[in-house]
Amino acid sequence: MAIDEQELARQVAGNTSAAARTVYQLFARANLPKELSPQFGGHGYIDRELRFVRDGRWYFAAVLNKSWVLWYFRRPAISELGLNLDELVQTFHSAELTSGGEVKVRVQDPMTAYAMLGWLFQNL
């Protein structure tokens, strides 16, 4: 599914580093596994977010910040795909467990973004 390029341009036009914009655009424009569909979303103060949905369930999120993109492995993905939290934290250098039982990864460069996308193709 093609992403709304006008909305993507609006989201990256804000106060963000070039690296964060590049990472967010990589996630938005990625040729994703067919099971995932990207959607723009947001809630509360988070207004620059990509949601990756599988079978109507919100599996992953990419939240654009000033200097990085926070990638979230959300609880539906963790439970339905049988993901091991410790393995996720060990796999991605800047990964950490959230208080809500999700894993977040601070993605600051394209190499990490490509690793994340590669993981998606291997695990979906």
Side-chain angles (χ1 to χ4, degrees):
M1 175 197 286
I3 200 78
D4 181 342
E5 288 290 334
Q6 288 182 330
E7 178 61 17
L8 178 59
R10 184 196 70 75
Q11 289 194 7
V12 299
N15 183 18
T16 55
S17 70
R21 282 193 305 273
T22 298
V23 167
Y24 196 69
Q25 290 170 330
L26 282 172
F27 287 144
R29 293 181 176 135
N31 183 15
L32 297 168
K34 65 180 177 165
E35 296 89 353
L36 283 182
S37 64
Q39 303 169 0
F40 288 109
H43 56 282
Y45 65 92
I46 296 174
D47 65 346
R48 299 186 299 170
E49 177 183 52
L50 280 166
R51 296 175 178 183
F52 299 89
V53 177
R54 179 180 178 184
D55 296 328
R57 307 269 292 154
W58 181 15
Y59 268 32
F60 310 101
V63 179
L64 181 59
N65 290 282
K66 283 185 176 186
S67 301
W68 59 78
V69 174
L70 279 180
W71 177 273
Y72 288 89
F73 291 89
R74 297 199 62 255
R75 288 176 61 173
I78 291 167
S79 63
E80 292 172 21
L81 297 176
L83 302 179
N84 181 302
L85 298 178
D86 291 330
E87 285 180 16
L88 287 173
V89 170
Q90 301 259 337
T91 300
F92 298 103
H93 170 67
S94 61
E96 56 188 77
L97 194 57
T98 70
S99 61
E102 299 180 338
V103 174
K104 69 178 178 180
V105 181
R106 187 176 293 180
V107 183
Q108 296 178 288
D109 58 75
M111 188 167 55
T112 306
Y114 283 122
M116 193 70 61
L117 293 169
W119 184 95
L120 288 174
F121 274 97
Q122 291 176 3
N123 293 281
L124 291 183

